[in-house]
Amino acid sequence: MPGLLSLANELIAKIADQLETCKEFRGTCKQIDHIISPKLLSYIVIDVNGERIDLGISQLEALANGSTRAGEYARTVEIRHLAPHHDPNYTGRSELLNGRWVLKLEPQDPKVDWAYRKIRELLPAALSALVGARFVIWTMVNKSPVAVSEFLSTLPSLQTLCLMMPVASMTPVQPRPQPRLSQISNLTELTVRGYHDDFVAKIVGNSPKLAHLDLEYPGFQGVVKDIPTLHDLFKTVPYDHPLQLLYLRIRGYCIRFDRETLPHLRLLRSLEFNAVPPILGHERLEYTQSLLKVLDTSASSLSETWEVIGREELPIEAVVTPINDAVLNYLAAADGIRKLALTEALTRVNDTALNPLAHRETSTKAENEVLAHGFFTRVLPQHSKTLVSLSLPMNFGGAWFIGPHNTDALLECTQLVELSIPVDTTDSSGVEKASLDDVMEEILGMAARLPNLYQLELFTGFVEDFWHGLIVPTRPNDTAQILSESITSFGPVDLGTHPQLIGSMGDKFRPQRDSCGVVKYIHCLS
């Protein structure tokens, strides 16, 4: 009688994917080990922290001495803290010292110094075993060893790099200098989050095939010394060989689309940026004269940016942006938008929205209503046959809430797969409703009529007042509970075709048949 090993290798691999004990299954015989190992070991995580010092060091030893085949099969490598002093479960405790609250330091494990010595000893050989890695994720800390950047700069097949840099609230804190980072080359995808210097521009200049660029530079309180610009980012790219970017997500940068930056964006399919670099805090910001000059030459308004995009006819299909009149006009005239996420509503007077010196104002209630009306009457009909993902955040409120005034426009978007919409949980007087049954019946009934919808995400916000024009969700836990109770009691639905539902605060609900045979949405934790 034919046994398991008589099956095709592909079928055995699929069986392994369904097992919770895949590692044990791999150890049953050499043939199964040979079939499963390439996939099982294709993604490895290197992490040495206070909770797993022994395990992390033993992993480095296995890679360094070749006792594991992970180095042969690893294609994605995630390098985490490499910080034995770091406790991932420590939430932080403070003490009053000389009139100031400071972080209270906990006693350090005596093995920490030993672990750091072992990391310095083993890491270069362990990383050199991972020569087949194509995708590397590195979470950097202030004591990150330079061996990692040396490893990255010599990887022959590296295509995708994700760097998670340190972030501080008061001043930009750079980790230990990593001069070899600027020697990384030939990437197709680059993601950098956190404070970073000009090594990013050098990597961009060294990567002529770069197609995916995701950069986030956080703001900080106090004196602003520098804000990166799109011009700085492209300064090392040869003028006669521009990039052919398809995806650009850029936050915290000054942005201006002009003759220096546009050549790299001619093929752009996806664009995401924020309205202003996120300067934190409410203190008065002090700007140097040199920074003022940079802002004057490198920062455009939100309106100017989208007017240029429309005039240059960039082939954008996915958009994540704040919205104002100029964005509304662009979307109403564009063709073929497949993904659209609106992050906030801005006024017409905020004409320097991408300049951090601008006096930033969000829309008033009346302007918000006008934007919403224009969106549902002009924008949605224009993209009803192509839109597959739509997100309208909860802080829009007002006419952005889903109801009889805009349901028909949504139902025309028959290709929608993902939909995130705000749910009105108050009556006309601002008092929270005792029940959401009617609201939920209308929304879920609408969802059931969208033939391709797979995921429906609902945001709830108790509208207490407008603060600078934004709807403030003052009681999300209360409204989440009301939403949970309403969904749990709602039914019947079609178990086979109804979408997954995500509620406020990330609550997830699944359609399930009860003892009476009626299908209802049930909270996943129920």
Side-chain angles (χ1 to χ4, degrees):
M1 181 177 180
L4 178 65
L5 297 181
S6 65
L7 297 176
N9 290 352
E10 293 80 5
L11 289 177
I12 295 177
K14 286 186 177 295
I15 292 172
D17 289 340
Q18 307 301 316
L19 299 176
E20 295 181 0
T21 57
C22 185
K23 291 183 179 180
E24 288 78 1
F25 181 50
R26 170 189 164 211
T28 55
C29 72
K30 288 185 178 180
Q31 185 173 340
I32 290 180
D33 178 37
H34 177 75
I35 295 170
I36 296 176
S37 289
K39 185 172 183 179
L40 186 65
L41 300 177
S42 64
Y43 189 123
I44 70 168
V45 176
I46 298 176
D47 186 13
V48 182
N49 62 56
E51 193 178 45
R52 60 192 306 274
I53 288 178
D54 291 332
L55 181 60
I57 295 300
S58 65
Q59 181 189 35
L60 290 179
E61 289 176 337
L63 286 169
N65 61 31
S67 61
T68 174
R69 288 190 291 163
E72 177 184 353
Y73 296 124
R75 296 296 177 265
T76 300
V77 178
E78 183 177 353
I79 304 171
R80 293 184 183 168
H81 296 92
L82 294 178
H85 70 280
H86 171 69
D87 180 0
N89 298 316
Y90 179 64
T91 57
R93 288 174 285 276
S94 300
E95 60 182 346
L96 191 62
L97 183 63
N98 297 327
R100 296 181 60 189
W101 287 99
V102 297
L103 191 65
K104 183 178 180 180
L105 298 179
E106 297 296 316
Q108 185 167 285
D109 191 321
K111 296 177 65 175
V112 167
D113 290 337
W114 168 84
Y116 272 114
R117 290 196 299 272
K118 295 297 289 184
I119 289 174
R120 289 193 295 270
E121 172 190 336
L122 297 169
L123 189 60
L127 292 176
S128 66
L130 303 170
V131 292
R134 299 172 183 172
F135 180 9
V136 176
I137 306 166
W138 182 18
T139 300
M140 300 179 67
V141 295
N142 292 334
K143 294 185 177 181
S144 290
V146 295
V148 180
S149 59
E150 294 173 353
F151 158 70
L152 293 174
S153 66
T154 58
L155 263 181
S157 303
L158 184 62
Q159 298 175 353
T160 303
L161 176 62
C162 177
L163 297 176
M164 311 302 291
M165 311 288 287
V167 175
S169 61
M170 295 300 293
T171 55
V173 176
Q174 287 288 352
R176 176 181 295 168
Q178 304 280 350
R180 297 290 292 273
L181 284 177
S182 61
Q183 299 177 22
I184 296 172
S185 61
N186 296 320
L187 297 180
T188 58
E189 298 187 20
L190 174 63
T191 297
V192 182
R193 304 284 174 83
Y195 294 110
H196 51 268
D197 55 26
D198 60 356
F199 78 83
V200 174
K202 292 178 181 178
I203 295 177
V204 170
N206 294 338
S207 303
K209 295 183 179 180
L210 190 68
H212 180 115
L213 189 56
D214 183 343
L215 303 177
E216 186 167 325
Y217 189 90
F220 51 91
Q221 294 174 323
V223 178
V224 178
K225 297 181 180 179
D226 190 23
I227 296 177
T229 73
L230 199 61
H231 289 75
D232 292 336
L233 185 63
F234 296 141
K235 65 184 179 183
T236 60
V237 181
Y239 183 78
D240 55 343
H241 290 87
L243 299 176
Q244 297 183 354
L245 288 176
L246 301 177
Y247 175 98
L248 177 63
R249 178 186 182 272
I250 190 161
R251 303 180 69 84
Y253 274 62
C254 290
I255 298 173
R256 175 169 288 176
F257 291 174
D258 56 19
R259 61 187 180 87
E260 295 182 31
T261 58
L262 277 170
H264 310 286
L265 309 174
R266 294 295 179 189
L267 302 180
L268 200 64
R269 295 291 188 271
S270 178
L271 175 63
E272 174 179 351
F273 61 87
N274 60 336
V276 291
I279 308 300
L280 304 179
H282 302 287
E283 294 126 349
R284 183 178 178 274
L285 300 174
E286 300 177 14
Y287 293 85
T288 65
Q289 290 300 313
S290 60
L291 182 57
L292 288 172
K293 185 177 180 180
V294 169
L295 294 173
D296 185 53
T297 58
S298 302
S300 294
S301 71
L302 182 67
S303 298
E304 290 169 344
T305 300
W306 283 104
E307 287 168 1
V308 170
I309 292 173
R311 184 170 63 249
E312 298 294 328
E313 298 183 344
L314 301 185
I316 296 175
E317 298 177 349
V319 175
V320 181
T321 178
I323 187 170
N324 65 2
D325 287 340
V327 179
L328 194 71
N329 291 334
Y330 167 81
L331 293 173
D335 291 316
I337 299 295
R338 293 175 53 80
K339 176 184 177 182
L340 179 58
L342 304 178
T343 57
E344 59 182 313
L346 300 175
T347 63
R348 289 183 298 246
V349 298
N350 187 14
D351 198 36
T352 50
L354 300 182
N355 186 330
L357 291 181
H359 177 60
R360 183 166 184 240
E361 296 182 13
T362 52
S363 61
T364 65
K365 185 173 182 178
E367 290 169 328
N368 192 44
E369 299 294 293
V370 171
L371 284 174
H373 176 76
F375 177 80
F376 286 107
T377 58
R378 297 172 55 203
V379 173
L380 270 192
Q382 178 72 7
H383 306 286
S384 61
K385 304 305 179 186
T386 59
L387 204 60
V388 297
S389 177
L390 175 64
S391 176
L392 307 176
M394 64 180 177
N395 60 359
F396 279 23
W400 294 98
F401 284 134
I402 302 306
H405 61 289
N406 52 30
T407 300
D408 289 343
L410 279 173
L411 287 174
E412 292 297 318
C413 301
T414 55
Q415 302 303 312
L416 275 177
V417 176
E418 299 174 347
L419 177 61
S420 299
I421 52 178
V423 178
D424 189 3
T425 62
T426 64
D427 59 24
S428 59
S429 63
V431 178
E432 195 156 14
K433 296 175 180 177
S435 172
L436 289 175
D437 285 347
D438 293 340
V439 175
M440 292 309 304
E441 184 167 359
E442 180 180 352
I443 291 176
L444 294 179
M446 175 201 69
R449 295 164 62 188
L450 291 171
N452 294 299
L453 192 65
Y454 174 74
Q455 179 171 297
L456 174 65
E457 187 169 10
L458 304 179
F459 295 98
T460 63
F462 178 77
V463 186
E464 183 173 284
D465 198 3
F466 272 85
W467 177 75
H468 295 305
L470 290 180
I471 298 294
V472 182
T474 57
R475 289 162 54 189
N477 290 325
D478 291 350
T479 53
Q481 180 61 34
I482 293 176
L483 181 59
S484 300
E485 293 172 355
S486 181
I487 294 175
T488 303
S489 65
F490 180 81
V493 297
D494 188 331
L495 184 59
T497 62
H498 222 71
Q500 172 183 245
L501 179 62
I502 300 177
S504 179
M505 309 298 288
D507 293 325
K508 293 184 178 181
F509 304 85
R510 66 181 186 276
Q512 178 175 299
R513 197 178 304 277
D514 64 15
S515 58
C516 299
V518 177
V519 178
K520 300 179 180 179
Y521 271 105
I522 305 297
H523 195 285
C524 286
L525 298 180
S526 300

